[in-house]
Amino acid sequence: MQISARNVIKGKVVSVEKGATTAHVKIEIAAGQVVTAAITNDAVDSLKLTVGDEAYAVVKSSDVMIAVD
Amino acid sequence: MQISARNVIKGKVVSVEKGATTAHVKIEIAAGQVVTAAITNDAVDSLKLTVGDEAYAVVKSSDVMIAVD
Amino acid sequence: MQISARNVIKGKVVSVEKGATTAHVKIEIAAGQVVTAAITNDAVDSLKLTVGDEAYAVVKSSDVMIAVD
Amino acid sequence: MQISARNVIKGKVVSVEKGATTAHVKIEIAAGQVVTAAITNDAVDSLKLTVGDEAYAVVKSSDVMIAVD
Amino acid sequence: MQISARNVIKGKVVSVEKGATTAHVKIEIAAGQVVTAAITNDAVDSLKLTVGDEAYAVVKSSDVMIAVD
Amino acid sequence: MQISARNVIKGKVVSVEKGATTAHVKIEIAAGQVVTAAITNDAVDSLKLTVGDEAYAVVKSSDVMIAVD
């Protein structure tokens, strides 16, 4: 499957924390650079996400903001 | 200003393309890893975004998806 | 690729309208039920989206609201 | 009330699962086609969402992605 | 129609700027407090949005961030 | 830090409710006008959000919809 989202960044799952309905999954996309995703517990189960897995962080361009100091 | 968004990734602006109302700004966050942001033309002007600037890509955790091969 | 987004709905591309930077793509997911996506022109090119193509509308659960009459 | 969101899809509530703060509501929009929404528990209470109710899944066009095989 | 989005803020349309596909609509929700919405040109036409109209800014709670100084 | 998000609205924190992973924070932006944000528990801790604090509700323009009666 190829997706329209312009940001598909390869990394490694470093943490999976399930909540009551919402899980937080952290992916290391570069040394020391971790991205946090809030997804459904169902998605964690469906993708069998486990610490150490290769995975991608996927973000639609319209969901990216820019900041400057 | 400190923001609740958990993903604030430092990079360098490599492209600014204004449209009629929506601009696309690309930030290189690591060698060869470019993130695309769709923001308003107004924001580009307000932040004076220019190629070569240091800037941050900011993404709310609830806007990050995970994919696996 | 398998994605965490819980809503992946098969359909057929019925319209592709490129703007200056943002394109509107319409997918018919059932007889008379059309979904509109606002994506980048780049994504339209990259996925070679053309009227008549099979495609999927993909939506993260946290982007779905519920309304009642 | 009429809303700018271009995607308002009629269906029937087939599941309501409250979490600690976030609920997952599933709406069947066509035979076998279920859409999942992650909304606040407050919204579930406020709209009195119950299995069997008619309801609409509402999605802003900028939150819809397209994928192809 | 009643919607799950928890933030429905009444105001007055003070500006409508159509782009190629995406429009920017500004709503004054309090004296001097203006909210900008990026919506489709189609939605502007469909809702017949005109400067001076009463309208609501609608935002899903999961799309609101918090910042502190 | 200056951000591209066009909507940065000052207010006062009136409620902080942590869930298992997702917190709901309410900010009063004008007399009787409260905005709800769904953010991570981590963000609440990191920003040390407490009832009575001054804070800003931040919303990207592409996440704002318009409704009319």
Side-chain angles (χ1 to χ4, degrees), chain A residues 64-67, chain B residues 7-11 27 29 35-37 55-59:
Chain A
V64 182
M65 291 162 286
I66 304 288
Chain B
N7 303 298
V8 180
I9 305 175
K10 200 173 192 167
I27 294 194
I29 58 167
V35 167
T36 301
Y56 300 86
V58 179
V59 183

Side-chain angles (χ1 to χ4, degrees), chain B:
Chain B
M1 200 177 75
Q2 204 187 341
I3 196 158
S4 62
R6 294 297 80 195
N7 303 298
V8 180
I9 305 175
K10 200 173 192 167
K12 207 168 79 170
V13 177
V14 292
S15 151
V16 176
E17 177 197 10
K18 276 178 154 183
T21 50
T22 307
H24 290 171
V25 178
K26 291 178 199 270
I27 294 194
E28 192 178 41
I29 58 167
Q33 183 67 66
V34 172
V35 167
T36 301
I39 63 176
T40 60
N41 285 349
D42 281 359
V44 169
D45 294 343
S46 171
L47 272 63
K48 298 182 176 54
L49 293 174
T50 313
V51 171
D53 286 357
E54 281 208 343
Y56 300 86
V58 179
V59 183
K60 197 173 186 305
S61 299
S62 53
D63 287 327
V64 182
M65 291 162 286
I66 304 288
V68 293
D69 280 322

